[in-house]
Amino acid sequence: MSKRLLKTGLAVAITATSSHGFASGFALNEQSISGMGTSFAGRSSSADDASTVFGNPAGMARLKRDEVYVGAAAIRAKSDIDHVSASSPAGAISGSNDGDMVPTTGVPMGYYVKPLDEKVAFGIGIYVPFGLMTDYESNFQGRYYADKSYVRVITVQPTLSYRFNDKLSVGFGPTFNHIEGELTSSLFTPLGDGKVKVKGDDVAVGFNAGVLYEFTPQTRAGLAYHSRVKYKLEGDTRVEASPLAGIAGKYDANLDLTTPESVDMSITHDLTDALTLHVGSTWTRWSRFKEIRVENDSATLPANLATIVEEQNWHDTWAHAVGLSYKVNPQWTLRTGIAIDQSPTNNVDRSPRIPSGDRTIFSVGAGWSPNQDMTIDVAYSYLQEESVDVNHASATRGTYSARYKNSAHGLGASLSYRF
């Protein structure tokens, strides 16, 4: 898959970054608006529209007509920061902690599914599985530990599904992923503050696979696996400082980063002709994220800049969700759901770049089908995190401690057209 195609996908996708997306770490859940309405319960078993390309590729076998799906979600996050103390290596410092470091952002998605015959279906998706954006104010008290943090992954996934019989279907698709990132922080020097900015990008390949088993026409279970993807970002580090410090300049840099694999398991069951229950759990192997380590190609930089290290030591997480959808009539479907999602961060290494805690998510949604060819879905989610503490101390960065309490609102809309 060429970089040109991935950049085309990026242009179609507009922008997508959030440090408080509705999934743990810097993963994003917003790959389906119909799924958003049930807090993504039943993601790997519902298979009601073309967004199943991401949720479970095997679910394409349930779609009987060509279908195009386009959508986007907007996320607005807010952090309350208090109990703050901070210092530089030279002593206490003043500053601000506004808590509005996450800009309102959009998370787009697009899918196409084409049944080739009664057993085989082809699909393709463009979506955003990972994203991060925090951009603190210039006078932020924790600026020696974080200023701007930006990561974005755009994925293109061509997919095939195969239906063995009325009960069992499987699906598989390689994923072609473009990542780009930027990390900045202030740099303390005796001659005044400078700045360190690291930028890089890469393209890497992974895969998504799934199984869907329909026990009865009313009950089906799905299992979906999203593989890890290993990147080697290459770019540069820019150091801005007083000329007298002798460290200013631009240096070649590289950063190894692995986005984690995840397994989604869910069941969808029709309680009545109108009411459907969705339940699901997702395990994510965040323990792969041990540190941020940037290697700079320079013999003149001091040790703390030649290799920039930020410890993370994340742990694996579980998310659980339950939701209901109610078919009011052939035109209208109402949805609701609740989810609990563990944070992968720990109390020792939690960073102001991703100051997240365990979260609870409540969602509502609706689908309107004015005819058999078109469906418009909308959804709203509210996320509330537990309060968490950030505590850091370093001989070259000083200290920063604070308590964060995060919340977010999400609003999404999508259009499905069948032909």
Side-chain angles (χ1 to χ4, degrees):
M1 179 66 63
S2 68
K3 285 192 176 184
R4 178 175 297 177
L5 176 55
L6 285 161
K7 289 180 178 179
T8 300
L10 183 64
V12 172
I14 316 171
T15 62
T17 51
S18 174
S19 76
H20 295 98
F22 290 81
S24 64
F26 55 92
L28 294 174
N29 259 336
E30 291 77 16
Q31 291 88 28
S32 168
I33 303 304
S34 54
M36 185 178 176
T38 60
S39 291
F40 303 100
R43 173 164 43 194
S44 59
S45 55
S46 293
D48 290 327
D49 55 43
S51 66
T52 192
V53 169
F54 172 84
N56 184 349
M60 297 192 307
R62 287 178 50 83
L63 305 182
K64 305 305 180 186
R65 303 168 64 191
D66 290 23
E67 182 171 330
V68 175
Y69 181 108
V70 293
I75 300 172
R76 174 61 177 168
K78 174 66 177 176
S79 296
D80 294 323
I81 308 174
D82 54 22
H83 298 82
V84 179
S85 66
S87 68
S88 74
I93 57 173
S94 60
S96 58
N97 296 271
D98 292 345
D100 59 353
M101 67 281 192
V102 181
T104 299
T105 54
V107 183
M109 66 213 73
Y111 307 96
Y112 169 67
V113 173
K114 179 178 181 60
L116 301 179
D117 56 34
E118 292 183 356
K119 291 185 176 294
V120 181
F122 168 80
I124 190 167
I126 301 176
Y127 55 85
V128 184
F130 296 93
L132 161 68
M133 180 63 168
T134 51
D135 192 3
Y136 288 92
E137 65 273 18
S138 59
N139 200 36
F140 172 53
Q141 274 189 283
R143 57 189 176 271
Y144 298 124
Y145 287 94
D147 182 0
K148 180 179 180 180
S149 308
Y150 164 69
V151 177
R152 178 174 58 191
V153 177
I154 298 292
T155 296
V156 177
Q157 179 190 325
T159 308
L160 287 173
S161 70
Y162 183 81
R163 176 181 284 277
F164 288 96
N165 50 47
D166 291 342
K167 296 183 179 296
L168 179 63
S169 302
V170 297
F172 175 86
T175 61
F176 303 93
N177 310 274
H178 176 266
I179 187 172
E180 59 182 11
E182 177 183 329
L183 301 174
T184 69
S185 59
S186 292
L187 174 66
F188 174 81
T189 76
L191 301 174
D193 280 0
K195 188 174 290 292
V196 179
K197 178 188 294 186
V198 181
K199 297 180 69 174
D201 69 336
D202 191 24
V203 174
V205 179
F207 68 91
N208 289 351
V211 178
L212 183 68
Y213 192 82
E214 302 176 63
F215 296 95
T216 69
Q218 293 76 38
T219 305
R220 56 190 179 273
L223 178 70
Y225 176 81
H226 302 271
S227 78
R228 69 177 183 176
V229 180
K230 301 177 70 173
Y231 301 95
K232 188 177 183 66
L233 285 79
E234 296 184 348
D236 59 71
T237 295
R238 292 178 180 268
V239 180
E240 300 173 8
S242 167
L244 296 178
I247 57 176
K250 179 180 177 181
Y251 309 93
D252 291 338
N254 65 77
L255 164 66
D256 292 336
L257 176 66
T258 299
T259 54
E261 63 266 49
S262 65
V263 180
D264 188 275
M265 302 155 284
S266 69
I267 295 175
T268 297
H269 175 65
D270 295 334
L271 299 171
T272 68
D273 290 343
L275 185 63
T276 300
L277 172 68
H278 312 269
V279 295
S281 296
T282 302
W283 172 82
T284 305
R285 194 176 181 181
W286 280 116
S287 58
R288 291 192 179 279
F289 192 39
K290 299 296 186 184
E291 63 183 10
I292 299 172
R293 177 178 290 268
V294 180
E295 301 285 353
N296 293 309
D297 186 11
S298 172
T300 61
L301 286 172
N304 66 307
L305 291 178
T307 301
I308 301 172
V309 180
E310 295 183 7
E311 297 289 340
Q312 303 297 321
N313 296 311
W314 285 11
H315 58 79
D316 299 340
T317 62
W318 280 95
H320 308 286
V322 59
L324 291 169
S325 57
Y326 182 74
K327 195 172 185 63
V328 179
N329 54 44
Q331 288 76 43
W332 284 97
T333 299
L334 304 180
R335 305 181 181 97
T336 189
I338 189 169
I340 53 174
D341 194 1
Q342 294 177 321
S343 169
T345 62
N346 67 73
N347 292 329
V348 175
D349 300 303
R350 183 178 294 109
S351 167
R353 295 194 187 280
I354 310 178
S356 64
D358 294 348
R359 53 189 60 178
T360 301
I361 305 160
F362 173 74
S363 302
V364 293
W368 177 54
S369 301
N371 53 55
Q372 293 184 347
D373 299 330
M374 184 172 66
T375 299
I376 297 172
D377 288 300
V378 295
Y380 166 79
S381 294
Y382 175 72
L383 175 152
Q384 181 72 60
E385 289 188 357
E386 66 175 351
S387 297
V388 294
D389 293 328
V390 171
N391 293 288
H392 283 287
S394 165
T396 57
R397 298 186 182 189
T399 65
Y400 180 71
S401 64
R403 177 163 295 171
Y404 284 73
K405 188 173 181 61
N406 307 313
S407 61
H409 301 269
L411 185 64
S414 65
L415 170 67
S416 297
Y417 186 75
R418 296 167 286 274
F419 53 94

